[in-house]
Amino acid sequence: MIRKKKSQVFNAEGVSLTLGSDATATDGGKRDFLKIVLGGGLVAWIATLMYPLFSYLNPPRQTEVEVSSVKVGPLNDIPRDSGMIVRFGNKPVLLVRTADDQLRAFSAVCTHLDCTVQYKSDLGMIWCACHNGRYDLNGRNVSGPPPRPLEVYRVVMQGDDVHITAAA
Amino acid sequence: MTTKLRAWFDERIPLQDLKEFLAKKHVPLHRGSVWYYFGGVSLFLFIVQVITGILLLLYYKGSEQLAWESIQFIMSKVQFGWLVRSIHTWAANLFVLAVFIHMFSVFFERAYRRPRELTWLTGMVLLFLALGFGFSGYLLPWNELAFFATKVGTDIAGVLPVIGKPLMVFLRGGEEVTGATLSRFFGFHVAVFPGLFTVILSIHLILVQRQGMSEPLGHDTRPNRRVMPFFPNFLLRDLLLWLIVLNILAILAVLFPSELGKKADAFAPAPEGIRPEWYFLFMFQTLKYFPAQVLFMDGEVLGILLFGIAGLLWMLVPFWDRKSSRGEANRWVNYVGLFVVIYILVFTVLGWLP
Amino acid sequence: MKTRAWIGPMLVALSLSLCSAAPAVAADECLKCHESLGGSIPALFRRDVHFAARISCSGCHGGDSSTDDMAKAMDTSAGFVGGSKGDAASMMCARCHSDAERMRSYGSKLPVQQWESLQASVHGKLSGSGGGNAVSCVTCHGAHGIVRVDNPSSPVSPLNVVKKCSSCHANAAYMRMFNPSLAVDQLEKYRTSVHGVRNAKGDVKAAQCVSCHGSHGILKAADAKSRVNPVNLPATCATCHSDASYMKEYGIPTDQYDKFSRSVHGVALLQKHDAGAPACNRCHGNHGAAPPGVASISNVCGTCHVLNAELFAGSPHKKAFDEQGLPECETCHGNHEIVTAGTWMLGVSDQSTCGNCHSADANASGFNVARMMRSLADSLLDMEAAAGKLVDEAEQKGMEITEAKFGLRDVRQARLQSRTVVHAFDESKFRAVVEKGITQAASVSHEASEAIDEFYFRRIGLGVSTFIITILAVCLWLLIRRIEARAK
């Protein structure tokens, strides 16, 4: 980009020089108009180059190809004996804060038919509303149709903030 | 203000010399002057490739696990990523096309003749490097088509006698096309080739500046021939053409964005319609027509050897075409050139047709 | 393997020491003498198949049965071994029964792998107290008085084998030594099954232990090669139940296996080897095999399809079906050939199952509900398909639509949930679920269309930049012209 811009600027400068030096007397009006349009066009053109360039350089919302970690927020925002769904890339993750104050995270995608599971505090279990599949708080499928346990994610505390990372 | 600034610079870098050099530089005018532009267009497209290539490098990941995914990421998640990648792909194609046109125009105008043999030779090396860029870059998205095209391409290298097998293993970084091949091609594409290309391109350009533009046979003798000042006339025309090329690139990129296809899977059956990039098609197609066995030789090997010899002869044209160097007309060069152009056109079309 | 290593030489040694396993024995002096001593053994042996084959006592006990001199006949140095127990007894049997040549010389058509099968079986792998196999030949077949298996007096005949197996398997204290968690109520359950009832009535064709578990080579059910492993069980049941001539006298269909293998359950189990899918026993029971009763079907299906069964139990259909003797789940879904359910089952078309009972004239309120539910389900499906198509299109155009794709999951979930909640046969509950999905689908569609619009917006961007470049190019051209004009 830089090289191209330079040549443009250099060129524009060269042009204005040649024009400015000896063509002033002849046809001032026309020259000014051409100069203005050329300059304006140049600025607009550089803008059309710079806009996509800087948009491209601006880090996208998902900063990497694969999400490896997600910040959930302060621990105090998560009540005990509750669960919450967290976006992990394009997958939902269920973060559970158990009654005995442990933090656990699992893929929220039911292994049966991909519904989103939830934490049921009355059961003390992870529950899928679609077909009543149940998982214990280690993610193991204990009842209903789910064929496999839920994928486990790692929960990491950084200061007061809860982070979820893909299990290594 | 500008005068002051210019004086400041002039004191440090003698701009006056440059100005004088530019003022003296002229572009000869004749019926073939239009071909002079293709060198400039090639240069411009190379610059575009460098810039878009660097941009892609910000997000691309050259590993088997992430190559395809990172391109998908560029195409969908990065703002204008689709544009940058599409421009890179299209500019690559136009670059090879421009380089080919540049080469043939030089050939037919006999611009390679004494004393410009070195310019021709460096140009040919640049052409081969451009093809190397194309071949290595094709694999980087790590999709099915690229995977199998690379497999076939390196297989062809592998049939060469004696050096074939080691060459293939060197190219692939192993016996098979794997993630190791990808890393290797990635290295070639973004480090080795650009480095080599820059050095040789510099020599090529310096040679052109030192020797001035070549003029057709029988043209350079006239005393008051028509010329155009390089600065600003020719340079402005160059810039005008570059602008137009840039716009063509934008149009192609928006209307025909690059596709990504399916991720490469070494164990999947080869998809239909595997073929190399269009600029390799004529060779690919020729090898297809070769019989399996010619006399005592393997047909494919013979084909590759013939292409090698033809390429070498082509590259050495300044040395066997003595007549042109002496300033005499040599019809044979025209015949050879025409034959090659027609051959490439016909076989490319044949290869293109299903 | 270890056992095999020493069994060979031992057999050879035995054969040598008992070299007189001669087929023809003029007079069995052992038998004569022992008969005079009384006891049941000689009498039993006279009924024995081996006696009929003219094998003397010395055939198994060694010694010389041709002499009436007791000291000579029972001389250990002459090879007398007396009574053998456990593995030693088994090997005594195997000496002939694993020797194809010798068995043929007796005109036997019996298989000759029993001992090897037993070694590989669960009974062969477990060791009894004091070492050796938990089960030897005599454990089931007895020693003297062995008769053919089709002889009703054989302990392993179809009618007796049940007792024989349960003599260990119903003994909790004994079974605890080997597998404390294994049930010991098989016989009890078996007596309640159709097979068990027939067996008790003397039907030798009705399945008993051996019919399903095999005899010598019995494996644990969890063993992939076991005949009662879930994946193999349907074929095991089918050996009788798909045999039309065998089943003829019972007057029940014989196409259950064919139907089952086409059903969702059969495909999952037999083709995908999904151990979660039910084999015959999951609905019929195994030892207590019988068709589930009409009113208990929803409980049986509900062991897996929990939510559906719960919803059904609370629905108006439960009472109505039971009163009319309709077999609950089976009424709509069928039994062996259960296919994947779909919206085609719902509604009032010819295909639908609702129409079997509900029509505009009869049970009209249900008819209207069915029609309404079908139209809701259809619109959800249509909306989902349309949203999916838009998302695909946007994705193909290279647009960023992760959000919309994420939303699509919710639509799918609503569809799946609607297919469960339909079993409540309650329009308002169904509507709530479906409408949630429809709303979500609409918002996904909206997002995807916006992404597609964005794609076309790119062309506008292209237009703008082309316009600017064109102006620039024209200006440049004019400039060049002017410079050149001035130069002239």
Side-chain angles (χ1 to χ4, degrees):
Chain A
M1 245 341 105
I2 288 160
R3 259 177 100 172
K4 209 187 307 172
K5 226 166 64 185
K6 245 188 196 162
S7 66
Q8 283 297 325
V9 170
F10 175 60
N11 152 47
E13 192 192 11
V15 168
S16 63
L17 281 172
T18 29
L19 286 176
S21 54
D22 52 359
T24 340
T26 46
D27 40 11
K30 197 184 163 194
R31 181 212 59 216
D32 281 343
F33 179 69
L34 189 62
K35 214 173 137 187
I36 289 165
V37 175
L38 196 66
L42 209 61
V43 170
W45 179 68
I46 289 170
T48 60
L49 284 184
M50 289 301 125
Y51 173 64
L53 179 69
F54 281 102
S55 308
Y56 180 89
L57 294 176
N58 189 27
R61 241 180 310 175
Q62 180 192 327
T63 48
E64 279 213 82
V65 178
E66 281 186 343
V67 178
S68 56
S69 170
V70 157
K71 181 177 156 185
V72 183
L75 181 64
N76 295 337
D77 290 0
I78 311 162
R80 272 196 194 190
D81 197 18
S82 76
M84 66 188 288
I85 297 287
V86 181
R87 279 278 301 271
F88 195 89
N90 49 14
K91 286 174 276 185
V93 166
L94 175 69
L95 176 68
V96 179
R97 187 170 178 187
T98 60
D100 52 356
D101 204 18
Q102 292 188 36
L103 285 168
R104 290 177 186 184
F106 306 97
S107 156
V109 181
C110 182
T111 53
H112 177 226
L113 285 174
D114 294 352
C115 288
T116 304
V117 297
Q118 52 186 283
Y119 175 70
K120 278 274 259 194
S121 53
D122 52 342
L123 298 171
M125 279 191 150
I126 298 165
W127 181 72
C128 178
C130 287
H131 300 97
N132 199 20
R134 290 177 194 194
Y135 304 85
D136 67 13
L137 292 179
N138 289 312
R140 275 197 297 265
N141 47 323
V142 290
S143 125
R148 285 183 308 281
L150 294 170
E151 200 184 320
V152 179
Y153 285 74
R154 210 151 60 98
V155 185
V156 182
M157 294 295 299
Q158 266 181 13
D160 285 339
D161 286 331
V162 181
H163 291 250
I164 295 176
T165 70
Chain B
M1 180 67 195
T2 38
T3 347
K4 253 189 174 175
L5 201 66
R6 196 135 31 102
W8 190 88
F9 273 111
D10 206 10
E11 201 187 328
R12 280 144 190 93
I13 324 154
L15 285 174
Q16 205 55 37
D17 288 5
L18 186 68
K19 227 180 147 185
E20 275 166 24
F21 172 74
L22 284 176
K24 269 192 279 176
K25 191 170 160 60
H26 283 96
V27 179
L29 284 180
H30 49 85
R31 58 178 170 76
S33 285
V34 65
W35 300 115
Y36 289 139
Y37 291 103
F38 281 91
V41 168
S42 306
L43 176 65
F44 171 68
L45 286 167
F46 177 68
I47 295 166
V48 169
Q49 286 306 72
V50 171
I51 294 162
T52 51
I54 289 171
L55 288 178
L56 288 173
L57 212 47
L58 298 182
Y59 295 106
Y60 178 75
K61 305 202 169 184
S63 77
E64 194 181 350
Q65 290 82 29
L66 288 177
W68 187 87
E69 282 81 356
S70 65
I71 301 253
Q72 193 188 39
F73 179 76
I74 290 170
M75 294 294 281
S76 61
K77 303 265 159 63
V78 181
Q79 292 189 67
F80 291 99
W82 59 274
L83 183 67
V84 173
R85 176 173 176 238
S86 304
I87 287 185
H88 195 72
T89 317
W90 274 113
N93 286 299
L94 294 189
F95 176 53
V96 173
L97 185 67
V99 166
F100 264 105
I101 294 174
H102 181 50
M103 178 195 71
F104 279 113
S105 66
V106 167
F107 184 86
F108 284 112
E109 297 286 6
R110 318 283 200 279
Y112 52 77
R113 70 186 186 278
R114 204 168 60 120
R116 294 185 175 79
E117 295 96 329
L118 285 176
T119 322
W120 168 261
L121 285 178
T122 49
M124 283 305 290
V125 173
L126 290 176
L127 172 80
F128 292 135
L129 278 175
L131 295 180
F133 267 121
F135 188 65
S136 57
Y138 196 53
L139 180 68
L140 299 189
W142 199 243
N143 57 22
E144 248 181 10
L145 221 59
F147 178 83
F148 285 102
T150 304
K151 212 173 159 121
V152 174
T154 45
D155 263 340
I156 288 174
V159 301
L160 283 173
V162 191
I163 57 155
K165 192 74 197 296
L167 179 67
M168 187 186 82
V169 171
F170 169 75
L171 284 174
R172 289 182 175 179
E175 291 281 333
E176 292 293 325
V177 177
T178 57
T181 321
L182 179 68
S183 305
R184 208 155 260 247
F185 274 39
F186 183 45
F188 286 139
H189 191 80
V190 306
V192 180
F193 291 159
L196 282 176
F197 198 95
T198 311
V199 171
I200 298 170
L201 178 63
S202 307
I203 298 171
H204 190 73
L205 290 178
I206 290 169
L207 284 171
V208 172
Q209 297 314 314
R210 300 286 297 194
Q211 297 171 330
M213 308 288 231
S214 161
E215 289 170 55
L217 275 174
H219 179 264
D220 43 349
T221 46
R222 279 189 280 165
N224 52 352
R225 56 192 204 272
R226 290 201 304 135
V227 292
M228 180 196 278
F230 175 78
F231 184 84
N233 302 39
F234 189 79
L235 185 64
L236 281 179
R237 281 164 195 261
D238 244 356
L239 290 174
L240 178 61
L241 189 61
W242 292 9
L243 262 183
I244 292 167
V245 170
L246 186 68
N247 205 25
I248 291 172
L249 271 179
I251 291 170
L252 288 171
V254 172
L255 298 187
F256 310 100
S258 314
E259 286 174 4
L260 183 51
K262 269 196 248 166
K263 185 173 177 169
D265 176 2
F267 302 107
E272 270 181 55
I274 312 169
R275 56 178 167 209
E277 293 269 67
W278 59 268
Y279 36 85
F280 293 120
L281 265 181
F282 71 96
M283 290 190 266
F284 187 67
Q285 195 63 22
T286 309
L287 291 182
K288 268 200 208 168
Y289 289 136
F290 258 83
Q293 201 73 25
V294 183
L295 295 176
F296 60 95
M297 279 186 93
D298 188 64
E300 211 172 26
V301 176
L302 184 67
I304 297 166
L305 285 179
L306 285 181
F307 269 118
I309 293 166
L312 197 66
L313 284 178
W314 185 264
M315 202 166 159
L316 295 177
V317 62
F319 304 102
W320 54 261
D321 177 20
R322 291 271 167 211
K323 265 184 157 178
S324 296
S325 288
R326 286 197 299 268
E328 298 164 32
N330 187 349
R331 284 158 161 265
W332 279 101
V333 172
N334 275 348
Y335 296 149
V336 169
L338 267 178
F339 171 76
V340 170
V341 171
I342 291 168
Y343 183 89
I344 290 179
L345 284 179
V346 166
F347 276 78
T348 303
V349 170
L350 280 175
W352 193 256
L353 297 173
Chain C
M1 247 20 252
K2 239 182 193 167
T3 35
R4 292 263 162 110
W6 53 260
I7 198 71
M10 194 131 179
L11 280 177
V12 173
L14 274 167
S15 332
L16 286 176
S17 63
L18 306 166
C19 57
S20 57
V25 176
D28 194 333
E29 297 298 334
C30 308
L31 190 58
K32 273 191 204 159
C33 188
H34 277 274
E35 266 177 334
S36 67
L37 292 171
S40 59
I41 289 173
L44 277 171
F45 189 58
R46 284 204 174 274
R47 297 196 293 123
D48 197 296
V49 281
H50 299 104
F51 178 77
R54 309 185 71 179
I55 294 167
S56 74
C57 300
S58 64
C60 295
H61 294 290
D64 185 355
S65 59
S66 60
T67 171
D68 55 358
D69 178 347
M70 210 169 90
K72 232 171 139 189
M74 293 167 69
D75 181 1
T76 50
S77 66
F80 179 73
V81 291
S84 11
K85 283 205 162 62
D87 287 353
S90 293
M91 266 173 314
M92 198 65 77
C93 305
R95 202 160 50 86
C96 295
H97 279 273
S98 288
D99 184 340
E101 201 62 44
R102 191 175 285 182
M103 289 304 283
R104 215 175 304 127
S105 72
Y106 288 106
S108 164
K109 291 189 179 104
L110 286 176
V112 290
Q113 294 291 325
Q114 295 104 324
W115 193 77
E116 284 76 8
S117 301
L118 180 68
Q119 287 286 295
S121 78
V122 62
H123 294 129
K125 295 259 169 72
L126 294 169
S127 60
S129 61
N133 291 345
V135 171
S136 71
C137 305
V138 293
T139 315
C140 300
H141 293 281
H144 307 97
I146 296 175
V147 292
R148 295 173 61 87
V149 70
D150 51 13
N151 184 326
S153 70
S154 164
V156 292
S157 76
L159 300 183
N160 294 338
V161 74
V162 185
K163 266 176 274 166
K164 187 40 91 184
C165 295
S166 59
S167 63
C168 294
H169 278 273
N171 183 340
Y174 182 75
M175 290 305 290
R176 204 184 298 132
M177 299 197 310
F178 302 100
N179 187 348
S181 67
L182 192 71
V184 289
D185 58 352
Q186 294 96 335
L187 177 66
E188 221 173 296
K189 281 182 170 168
Y190 177 69
R191 286 300 174 209
T192 69
S193 76
V194 176
H195 297 139
V197 170
R198 290 196 170 275
N199 179 278
K201 284 183 186 158
D203 181 350
V204 293
K205 282 174 73 181
Q208 17 70 21
C209 314
V210 174
S211 323
C212 301
H213 292 282
S215 49
H216 300 101
I218 294 174
L219 298 171
K220 285 187 179 184
D223 196 311
K225 283 184 175 168
S226 164
R227 286 159 55 84
V228 293
N229 180 280
V231 174
N232 305 328
L233 186 67
T236 302
C237 298
T239 48
C240 298
H241 281 276
S242 290
D243 184 336
S245 61
Y246 191 86
M247 296 302 291
K248 201 173 165 196
E249 62 192 88
Y250 303 109
I252 61 170
T254 52
D255 56 357
Q256 298 97 329
Y257 181 78
D258 292 336
K259 284 182 164 179
F260 174 76
S261 53
R262 284 195 297 269
S263 75
V264 271
H265 297 135
V267 169
L269 181 70
L270 303 175
Q271 290 175 27
K272 299 179 190 158
H273 286 201
D274 178 351
C280 313
N281 65 321
R282 292 277 279 274
C283 299
H284 294 283
N286 23 29
H287 299 105
V294 163
S296 68
I297 285 179
S298 70
N299 298 331
V300 170
C301 299
T303 53
C304 293
H305 301 274
V306 189
L307 212 47
N308 298 356
E310 266 174 35
L311 290 167
F312 178 81
S315 80
H317 277 161
K318 168 76 179 167
K319 191 165 167 265
F321 279 24
D322 289 354
E323 275 172 7
Q324 295 188 34
L326 293 170
E328 304 196 325
C329 311
E330 194 188 324
T331 314
C332 301
H333 294 283
N335 43 27
H336 298 108
E337 195 175 8
I338 293 176
V339 295
T340 309
T343 43
W344 55 268
M345 295 180 68
L346 194 60
V348 293
S349 69
D350 292 344
Q351 248 194 336
S352 80
T353 48
C354 308
N356 295 345
C357 300
H358 297 281
S359 69
D361 312 318
N363 306 321
S365 69
F367 179 82
N368 291 330
V369 170
R371 191 163 53 188
M372 176 48 81
M373 279 165 63
R374 173 63 183 266
S375 79
L376 280 167
D378 280 345
S379 24
L380 179 56
L381 266 185
D382 291 348
M383 295 283 288
E384 188 188 5
K389 230 173 127 186
L390 282 171
V391 166
D392 280 351
E393 191 186 336
E395 196 168 36
Q396 268 172 10
K397 288 190 156 59
M399 307 308 297
E400 155 61 25
I401 37 139
T402 324
E403 291 293 326
K405 272 183 106 173
F406 202 73
L408 213 49
R409 285 178 44 88
D410 291 342
V411 183
R412 196 182 119 84
Q413 175 151 357
R415 172 164 59 82
L416 287 171
Q417 259 178 300
S418 78
R419 289 169 54 147
T420 301
V421 83
V422 72
H423 294 97
F425 304 105
D426 179 327
E427 193 189 327
S428 65
K429 279 186 192 165
F430 188 74
R431 183 185 290 275
V433 171
V434 170
E435 276 177 355
K436 206 174 93 192
I438 289 177
T439 320
Q440 187 65 33
S443 87
V444 168
S445 292
H446 178 69
E447 271 177 57
S449 330
E450 274 190 341
I452 294 169
D453 290 346
E454 157 70 19
F455 174 80
Y456 290 104
F457 173 74
R458 287 174 179 180
R459 293 177 182 222
I460 297 173
L462 175 70
V464 170
S465 80
T466 306
F467 176 71
I468 292 171
I469 290 178
T470 311
I471 288 182
L472 259 182
V474 169
C475 287
L476 259 179
W477 180 242
L478 289 175
L479 194 69
I480 293 166
R481 288 280 297 272
R482 185 186 306 170
I483 290 167
E484 284 174 3
R486 208 178 50 232
K488 270 176 192 168

